[in-house]
Amino acid sequence: MKYSILLLFILNFIVRPYGQDFQVSNSSVKHTINLNYYVDTWKFSIQSLEMVKPGGNSYANFILQEKVKATNKYPRKPIMLNPRSYNNFPEFLIENGFEGNLYNNKIPNDNTLAISNDNIIIAGINSAYIIYDLNEDSLLLRTTLNSITYSFTNLLFVKKYDPKFIYDHEQDRFIMVFLVGNKPVNSHVCVAFSTTNNPLDDWNVYMLKGDAVDSGHWTDYPAISLTKDDLFITGNLLLDGVSWQLGFKESIIWQIDKLSGYNGADSLEFNLWSDIKDDSINIRNIHPVRGARELQDKKQYFLSNKNFSLESDTLYLLSIENSQISGDPSFEMKRINLNDHYFLSPNGQQYNGKELATNDSRVLGGIIDKDWIQFVNHSMDTSSGTAGIYHGIIYNYEINPFVESTIISDSVVDFGYPNIASTGINPNEKECVIGFNYTSANDTNGVSCIYMDNNRNYSRFTKLHRGLRAIDRQSSTVNRWGDYTGIQRKYNDPCRTWISGMFGKIGSNGSWISSVAVSDTCREKLPHLFLEPSFQNGVLFPNPSNEIVYYDFTLEESLDLKILIFSIDGRLVDILYEDYVKSGPQRLSFDIQSLKVGTYFLVIENNGSNIYTKKIIKN
């Protein structure tokens, strides 16, 4: 793996007052639907074998030509002269695994997945989805997206595709979003809200007009995220039947009051954000960032980049502040220029000589915590010429962002379609799981992941499921590979992450669902971390250190103190002291030579309540 630190600086800071580019609307139409009333007996389909390419065929041809240029400039290396290695390889457990959707007549898989606190999974690919009960290890429902739209009779036989599912762990509800139709005359975005935590109960279903700004375009490539108040949907507006250069109009954002959807309002209240530009250039493929551990409050962030460029140093950080219902939302955009570049990724190789398309370098997943945003997208590793994953961490994102980044790659295996989920328990713990597809000229293909711990050590590339054969369902030399990977942390068991990806089968392609765990028993939260003002008292020095550490602090009254050391993952390392201490200034000292290199917490308690907490770095 290639590791580098990219220092980012802001060349341009844009705050756009959006005037006519911001619209308030409630033009959606609501139906109430129960999945038990619709039985898709035939699962009939006469749609094309291949799903619509993001941006259209001409866009795919342009990307293919650019990939040839990139490969010629940075050819694959047959042997890595200086293999990269790490001192620490954090371990994780591969747990459950099963094939998610047996019925699939199209490629690629538009994998999406959501899991509730009650262990109910909704997992989709293309136009089909399943509802699975992990408690009973039973399939509750296997059906198609027609089950959500059956009462919209005028759209019953129109194409349904590109599903996106999400679980709202605060409201204990599910949301489904998918596209209906791919022409301006019939283009819609279907938005469905479960009325309870049981997806077999009623759903409130709404249709948003795909030609959202009445410009004769249709909506493509949806992505979704939630805040405490709102549902955000992003999409691209395209012309039908023309090249991507002429056909792309703009990317748009729906900001929807989610409670009105849960409660079954007659129509959805939403804001529509459009005309999102960097100077005169429309931003393309905007991806919303999801809360790493909890839903964000009053502010939603988005990411985009120069995703179809051969090589670029540009990252866009967008945000919408205040809820839809507040009536006072505001939009902000920062253009960040990187000191280092990301690259258009080559296609993945297969043993049969055919390749698998990696598409462009758009952001495919992002998570946010109090002090950072993490995101993933495709990028070539120019040292090996293989398809890798750009994993970036944006710090200080509200004021002066800077980024540390890693290109995750292999000298032989190609990686594709990454997505990311947090496994952190406490605020700002960076640990995460990155799920993705893999392929190789020396092997088949399948679903895999990598775990990163809080010290930014990456695990080994680990295969979750190995495909049975090459993906070879198209006559062209480049086959579609899986436009998305589904991933979600288990919110009430956050050490566990569920992943859904694509693998090759004999005569078709499959979707594999798997869970991984970063420990066999999920650790408890550190209660002292919720008392952030305690970090302000006293001085701990030297820090970092590898020997004696001193901590100066003051007690306003005499107390019985308990002084403890915790590891970064919340495990008690040792109790240093447990006795009475008089009021006034204090200095404690202790030797940390016995500790392994890493980050720890010094905690001072009185009768179980935290008084002071200090972070210790052992080097």
Side-chain angles (χ1 to χ4, degrees):
M1 289 187 288
K2 176 183 177 182
Y3 184 83
S4 62
I5 296 179
L6 308 181
L7 296 180
L8 278 69
F9 58 93
I10 299 176
L11 288 187
N12 190 13
F13 180 86
I14 304 169
V15 179
R16 295 176 59 86
Y18 272 61
Q20 74 274 15
D21 305 323
F22 161 60
Q23 305 170 20
V24 180
S25 177
N26 62 347
S27 59
S28 58
V29 178
K30 175 233 177 181
H31 289 190
T32 299
I33 288 172
N34 190 294
L35 301 181
N36 295 300
Y37 299 156
Y38 181 84
V39 179
D40 193 358
T41 304
W42 296 104
K43 298 184 176 65
F44 176 79
S45 176
I46 197 170
Q47 295 171 312
S48 171
L49 177 70
E50 180 182 347
M51 295 302 293
V52 176
K53 292 183 176 68
N57 289 328
S58 63
Y59 176 73
N61 292 333
F62 166 79
I63 290 296
L64 182 59
Q65 294 170 11
E66 292 298 287
K67 288 177 184 291
V68 171
K69 296 177 185 177
T71 301
N72 289 337
K73 187 174 182 180
Y74 302 104
R76 290 176 183 264
K77 311 296 191 300
I79 300 175
M80 292 298 296
L81 299 178
N82 296 299
R84 295 178 291 272
S85 63
Y86 289 82
N87 294 325
N88 299 305
F89 286 102
E91 300 294 333
F92 62 91
L93 307 172
I94 302 175
E95 297 185 320
N96 305 278
F98 59 94
E99 187 169 355
N101 286 271
L102 300 178
Y103 175 78
N104 181 29
N105 67 340
K106 307 178 192 71
I107 55 173
N109 292 355
D110 292 336
N111 300 285
T112 183
L113 174 146
I115 178 170
S116 72
N117 288 340
D118 291 332
N119 290 321
I120 304 297
I121 286 180
I122 305 181
I125 55 171
N126 306 332
S127 58
Y129 70 96
I130 62 170
I131 301 177
Y132 197 91
D133 185 348
L134 291 171
N135 297 316
E136 302 296 331
D137 193 20
S138 63
L139 181 68
L140 301 181
L141 183 68
R142 185 188 304 279
T143 186
T144 65
L145 297 177
N146 281 327
S147 64
I148 300 294
T149 62
Y150 67 85
S151 65
F152 293 84
T153 54
N154 61 318
L155 299 172
L156 186 59
F157 302 107
V158 177
K159 180 195 297 285
K160 286 92 178 176
Y161 61 104
D162 260 15
K164 296 290 182 294
F165 303 160
I166 196 168
Y167 172 66
D168 186 339
H169 65 284
E170 291 193 358
Q171 298 294 327
D172 196 19
R173 308 281 185 92
F174 291 98
I175 298 176
M176 295 188 193
V177 174
F178 57 91
L179 301 182
V180 179
N182 62 351
K183 294 181 179 296
V185 67
N186 64 11
S187 176
H188 292 80
V189 179
C190 181
V191 187
F193 299 82
S194 68
T195 58
T196 73
N197 61 6
N198 182 357
L200 296 181
D201 288 340
D202 288 350
W203 290 73
N204 297 322
V205 184
Y206 302 84
M207 286 289 176
L208 306 177
K209 188 170 65 172
D211 188 9
V213 295
D214 296 317
S215 57
H217 294 74
W218 60 282
T219 294
D220 183 31
Y221 187 67
I224 64 175
S225 182
L226 290 170
T227 61
K228 291 182 179 296
D229 298 310
D230 293 332
L231 165 67
F232 289 87
I233 306 172
T234 62
N236 296 330
L237 292 180
L238 303 177
L239 274 176
D240 184 41
V242 301
S243 69
W244 71 268
Q245 294 97 329
L246 299 176
F248 172 72
K249 175 176 173 57
E250 60 181 308
S251 292
I252 57 176
I253 302 171
W254 282 274
Q255 180 184 11
I256 300 169
D257 173 32
K258 70 179 186 182
L259 292 181
S260 66
Y262 292 139
N263 296 330
D266 291 337
S267 60
L268 290 179
E269 297 287 340
F270 62 85
N271 301 334
L272 181 66
W273 300 88
S274 61
D275 197 35
I276 303 171
K277 293 180 178 179
D278 176 14
D279 293 331
S280 61
I281 305 300
N282 289 102
I283 304 301
R284 187 186 185 107
N285 300 319
I286 297 171
H287 197 95
V289 177
R290 297 186 179 187
R293 298 171 299 105
E294 57 191 19
L295 299 180
Q296 296 295 290
D297 187 17
K298 298 181 181 178
K299 199 165 189 177
Q300 172 67 49
Y301 282 88
F302 308 83
L303 289 170
S304 185
N305 56 19
K306 299 285 189 179
N307 37 80
F308 49 83
S309 296
L310 187 66
E311 176 182 349
S312 182
D313 64 349
T314 299
L315 182 69
Y316 296 103
L317 178 62
L318 304 81
S319 64
I320 295 175
E321 189 165 13
N322 294 328
S323 66
Q324 190 279 333
I325 203 170
S326 72
D328 187 33
S330 61
F331 184 93
E332 181 178 283
M333 182 168 71
K334 301 174 184 177
R335 182 176 67 230
I336 306 171
N337 280 44
L338 289 69
N339 288 339
D340 216 338
H341 299 183
Y342 53 88
F343 300 84
L344 191 63
S345 182
N347 291 323
Q349 292 187 334
Q350 297 194 93
Y351 66 81
N352 65 348
K354 289 195 173 185
E355 297 181 340
L356 295 176
T358 53
N359 290 349
D360 52 37
S361 299
R362 70 188 65 183
V363 175
L364 292 170
I367 53 176
I368 184 172
D369 212 321
K370 296 180 182 297
D371 290 348
W372 49 254
I373 295 173
Q374 298 189 52
F375 64 96
V376 288
N377 56 264
H378 287 131
S379 177
M380 172 188 282
D381 183 342
T382 57
S383 67
S384 62
T386 55
I389 297 167
Y390 180 95
H391 176 211
I393 306 178
I394 309 174
Y395 297 99
N396 202 28
Y397 53 81
E398 290 189 346
I399 304 173
N400 296 306
F402 69 95
V403 169
E404 296 178 355
S405 73
T406 303
I407 293 181
I408 303 170
S409 65
D410 187 272
S411 60
V412 176
V413 181
D414 291 305
F415 300 157
Y417 300 95
N419 207 340
I420 185 170
S422 168
T423 54
I425 307 298
N426 301 289
N428 295 317
E429 290 181 336
K430 301 184 198 67
E431 66 173 73
C432 62
V433 171
I434 299 173
F436 52 95
N437 297 333
Y438 75 88
T439 186
S440 169
N442 301 326
D443 197 358
T444 57
N445 55 73
V447 185
S448 59
C449 73
I450 281 177
Y451 165 62
M452 186 192 79
D453 68 16
N454 282 313
N455 294 317
R456 296 198 65 222
N457 298 309
Y458 290 85
S459 72
R460 293 178 174 87
F461 154 58
T462 302
K463 299 176 182 178
L464 302 178
H465 185 69
R466 181 175 179 270
L468 302 176
R469 56 157 292 165
I471 297 172
D472 187 8
R473 303 195 66 198
Q474 297 168 270
S475 58
S476 61
T477 58
V478 181
N479 271 240
R480 300 289 296 282
W481 193 12
D483 284 348
Y484 318 99
T485 294
I487 192 168
Q488 187 203 299
R489 80 190 247 131
K490 183 74 160 48
Y491 286 101
N492 62 345
D493 189 11
C495 292
R496 284 170 172 79
T497 301
W498 285 84
I499 301 169
S500 174
M502 179 177 175
F503 70 95
K505 297 169 61 176
I506 298 174
S508 64
N509 48 286
S511 176
W512 188 259
I513 297 173
S514 182
S515 68
V516 299
V518 300
S519 66
D520 55 358
T521 303
C522 201
R523 66 187 186 276
E524 295 294 326
K525 293 181 179 179
L526 299 181
H528 59 275
L529 288 180
F530 294 100
L531 302 174
E532 295 183 6
S534 65
F535 281 80
Q536 301 172 5
N537 185 282
V539 178
L540 187 145
F541 62 95
N543 195 22
S545 177
N546 57 13
E547 297 183 29
I548 301 295
V549 172
Y550 302 89
Y551 179 44
D552 291 348
F553 63 99
T554 300
L555 289 180
E556 295 181 1
E557 59 181 317
S558 301
L559 295 172
D560 289 313
L561 295 186
K562 189 174 184 179
I563 303 175
L564 314 94
I565 297 289
F566 285 90
S567 65
I568 188 69
D569 62 3
R571 300 180 188 276
L572 177 64
V573 176
D574 210 348
I575 299 173
L576 303 183
Y577 181 89
E578 192 170 7
D579 205 348
Y580 180 80
V581 178
K582 291 184 178 181
S583 62
Q586 315 289 331
R587 168 172 286 190
L588 65 86
S589 63
F590 51 98
D591 193 338
I592 63 172
Q593 289 187 73
S594 63
L595 296 178
K596 296 180 180 179
V597 172
T599 302
Y600 300 83
F601 291 100
L602 171 69
V603 179
I604 300 179
E605 295 179 349
N606 168 244
N607 295 327
S609 297
N610 169 266
I611 301 177
Y612 305 131
T613 301
K614 281 294 178 181
K615 182 186 293 186
I616 305 168
I617 299 175
K618 166 67 183 296
N619 59 13

